[in-house]
Amino acid sequence: MVVLSKLVLVAAMALVGWAYKATRPPAAAILGGPGGPAVTSPRVQLKDGRHLAYREGGVAREIAEYKIIFFHGFGNTKESDFPVSQELAEELKIYLLYFDRAGYGDSDANPKRGLKSDATDVEELADALHLGEKFYVVGTSMGGYIVWSCLNYIPHRLAGASLVVPAVNYWWPMPADVSASAYSKLHAADRRTFWFAHHMPWLFYAWFKQKLFRIAPVMQGQPEAFTEQDWEILTAIQRKEQETGQVDMGKKATQQGTYDSLCRDATILFGAWEFNPTAMKNPFPDGDGVVSIWQGREDRIVRVEVQRYVAEKLPWVRYHEHPEGGHLFVCVDGLGDKVIRELLLGEEPQAL
């Protein structure tokens, strides 16, 4: 019995040791440091000493009449263009600013990253580049939650905001039938992965790295996460990267590791929020700015039921739903220009 008890104790200690190691993420690779990834982008330094990498497009800042900051999605970087045409940028004199969110690409990781810090990063970036008192923001997919954060924490700095297929939290305050209906339509692996991110964020990194059970298809870029049109668009983008010798966006995004990029995205989005997006006040009560949501009805990644509920609770938000659109629907038919024209000029799209 004594020998058996010792064996049980050793096994228990080994299990605890494995669990500790599995749940403890490795330190982020130090950008520009010994053995770390090289920094290949211009960067600005924030008040806490971190750096954010950025890329500029459109017209020059000095002559721009409109300045827009774009927030990239899950597993992407500042190299992910929003589909706004150069013709429109020149016609309206639009300055476009893309940046790597904290922990992605060439931007330093933030061990204290959260909803508020993501918004203040945007504010500090804008000030470092002298964008002026107000600017516009556009968030796509996972980048959508940054827009909600900006609307909550720095609304006084915004001239307008567009949320394009913005990621949603299925634990936001909403009727049970709405959340249950939307959640049940997700892929089973999506449900498991999102559940871990919400209920056991401390274990999420271990879940994300394990190989026994399947994680969310969208996090692995698998075909079943997308509509047929989405997949065609995605493969075309990847083919272009290969043909032109562009940097592999997926590898660049996680060059510091997956914990401070992908995993933090998931645990922040699906975690407990400090504010309720469905109860926000109109940041433009005098009608001097536009907030819009653009959603594809056939989107398999972000369920349309939640977007409809949010739009119903926030009547000041302009809601646009494409009847056949998936997650990447804005990339076709010049819809990117329609998003921007409404954001800047208030022009309602005639048809989707």
Side-chain angles (χ1 to χ4, degrees):
M1 289 294 292
V2 173
V3 173
L4 181 61
S5 296
K6 288 184 176 179
L7 288 174
V8 171
L9 179 61
V10 170
M13 291 177 65
L15 182 62
V16 170
W18 171 86
Y20 177 79
K21 184 177 181 181
T23 57
R24 187 176 178 82
I30 305 301
L31 290 167
V39 176
T40 59
S41 311
R43 307 199 300 174
V44 299
Q45 186 170 20
L46 307 181
K47 294 176 182 177
D48 63 3
R50 289 182 296 114
H51 297 82
L52 291 182
Y54 66 93
R55 178 174 68 88
E56 299 171 295
V59 303
R61 261 181 282 162
E62 296 74 18
I63 65 170
E65 294 185 9
Y66 301 98
K67 297 167 184 176
I68 309 176
I69 305 177
F70 294 89
F71 310 148
H72 66 76
F74 184 85
N76 290 322
T77 69
K78 64 184 179 304
E79 309 306 325
S80 178
D81 282 318
F82 187 81
V84 54
S85 68
Q86 183 63 24
E87 291 77 13
L88 182 63
E90 292 177 358
E91 173 192 343
L92 300 182
K93 294 185 180 179
I94 310 171
Y95 167 77
L96 314 174
L97 178 62
Y98 303 89
F99 74 102
D100 290 332
R101 296 191 282 107
Y104 275 96
D106 285 342
S107 287
D108 295 331
N110 180 3
K112 298 180 180 179
R113 182 178 155 204
L115 292 166
K116 186 173 183 179
S117 72
D118 278 326
T120 55
D121 277 3
V122 174
E123 184 173 31
E124 288 193 46
L125 174 66
D127 289 342
L129 295 177
H130 309 290
L131 299 194
E133 182 181 352
K134 293 197 174 188
F135 46 84
Y136 298 85
V137 294
V138 176
T140 303
S141 192
M142 186 65 81
Y145 92 72
I146 319 297
V147 177
W148 289 120
S149 293
C150 289
L151 287 167
N152 184 72
Y153 292 112
I154 58 167
H156 57 289
R157 300 300 306 273
L158 304 183
S162 289
L163 300 100
V164 181
V165 293
V168 299
N169 183 330
Y170 296 95
W171 292 269
W172 281 340
M174 68 181 85
D177 61 327
V178 175
S179 57
S181 173
Y183 196 66
S184 67
K185 294 174 183 175
L186 294 170
H187 191 285
D190 285 338
R191 295 198 298 270
R192 286 195 298 269
T193 301
F194 299 168
W195 186 93
F196 267 99
H198 178 75
H199 293 285
M200 305 179 77
W202 55 273
L203 192 60
F204 186 77
Y205 177 75
W207 168 259
F208 187 77
K209 300 297 288 185
Q210 57 80 34
K211 305 298 182 183
L212 293 177
F213 301 95
R214 191 178 182 192
I215 65 170
V218 64
M219 292 186 173
Q220 298 179 314
Q222 296 176 335
E224 57 262 58
F226 303 92
T227 64
E228 184 176 340
Q229 183 188 58
D230 283 343
W231 192 247
E232 290 176 357
I233 294 170
L234 193 61
T235 52
I237 292 173
Q238 293 171 340
R239 186 164 53 248
K240 182 180 178 182
E241 287 179 355
Q242 295 173 352
E243 293 174 350
T244 58
Q246 294 178 15
V247 175
D248 185 315
M249 198 181 304
K251 291 182 180 179
K252 180 72 173 180
T254 58
Q255 65 177 354
Q256 299 174 69
T258 57
Y259 178 73
D260 283 298
S261 50
L262 309 184
C263 293
R264 282 200 187 274
D265 265 0
T267 54
I268 292 173
L269 172 66
F270 296 114
W273 282 37
E274 304 114 31
F275 62 92
N276 178 5
T278 68
M280 297 186 73
K281 294 182 179 179
N282 185 355
F284 307 112
D286 298 325
D288 53 344
V290 171
V291 179
S292 61
I293 294 176
W294 298 72
Q295 177 66 31
R297 190 176 301 168
E298 301 301 318
D299 195 327
R300 298 178 186 175
I301 297 172
V302 179
R303 295 304 312 173
V304 69
E305 294 88 349
V306 179
Q307 305 290 27
R308 290 172 179 168
Y309 177 74
V310 172
E312 177 185 328
K313 296 295 290 183
L314 303 176
W316 45 270
V317 169
R318 298 187 184 187
Y319 179 65
H320 307 292
E321 185 177 305
H322 194 293
E324 301 172 355
H327 198 61
L328 302 177
F329 81 94
V330 77
C331 294
V332 300
D333 300 329
L335 286 171
D337 280 4
K338 291 184 179 182
V339 172
I340 300 304
R341 293 189 75 91
E342 179 181 53
L343 174 66
L344 305 183
L345 307 177
E347 293 183 1
E348 291 267 9
Q350 296 301 310
L352 292 183

